[in-house]
Amino acid sequence: MRKGSLLAILGLVLGLLIGLGVIRLERYAATELMQLLGEELAASCPCRLVYDEVKVSLLSLRARAKNLGIEQDGQTKLTFLSADADFSLRKIFQRKVLISNLTLVQGHSQGVGPESPTTKFISYLAEPIPPEQDRPDRWKLKLQKLKLK
């Protein structure tokens, strides 16, 4: 086998391994994101986060969740056909992810009163974290723009 052929095969194998690594990292990021949102939701009300599918692209810096919803006592209280986010990793080493644009598509809520899961979750996310619950190693998401379609 010639040296050029060996280098080409080595390059293909290396490219394949890197590609598989990126795919695994994107799946890990999607799982961690939804777990974090689920934990935040559970802390705000006795609810759970449900969704059909989540995809994160580290190349285009976009994320999409399909059929996203909040359930309480087995009843769906808030749903969106999809949620699309554009994000930046500029401050990743400061444990911050900047969400430049979050678009929620075709939403439906069963009530928005003071005790509804929708209001409780939004209030929980908007309020500052009490000092006793804050920790230096936590991740922070900063939302810059929200659109409802």
Side-chain angles (χ1 to χ4, degrees), residues 14-28 58:
L14 185 61
L16 181 63
L17 290 174
I18 290 171
L20 290 173
V22 168
I23 289 171
R24 185 175 172 110
L25 184 60
E26 288 175 341
R27 287 183 182 160
Y28 174 77
L58 296 175

Side-chain angles (χ1 to χ4, degrees), residues 77-106:
K77 300 293 185 177
L78 177 67
T79 60
F80 291 98
L81 182 64
S82 67
D84 299 306
D86 299 316
F87 59 92
S88 168
L89 300 176
R90 283 180 292 178
K91 297 186 177 185
I92 193 80
F93 294 113
Q94 299 168 5
R95 300 183 75 83
K96 293 179 185 177
V97 176
L98 305 174
I99 302 172
S100 57
N101 185 34
L102 175 61
T103 303
L104 302 173
V105 179
Q106 291 186 12

Side-chain angles (χ1 to χ4, degrees), residues 70 72 75-79 107-122:
I70 294 176
Q72 182 180 36
Q75 295 181 356
T76 303
K77 300 293 185 177
L78 177 67
T79 60
H108 176 74
S109 175
Q110 287 191 298
V112 289
E115 295 302 312
S116 72
T118 303
T119 302
K120 285 183 177 182
F121 186 48
I122 291 171

Side-chain angles (χ1 to χ4, degrees), residues 128-147:
I129 293 178
E132 65 274 3
Q133 292 181 351
D134 198 5
R135 55 186 203 281
D137 65 336
R138 76 179 173 93
W139 283 87
K140 297 176 185 175
L141 300 176
K142 182 174 181 180
L143 179 60
Q144 296 174 328
K145 184 177 179 183
L146 173 66
K147 288 194 296 188

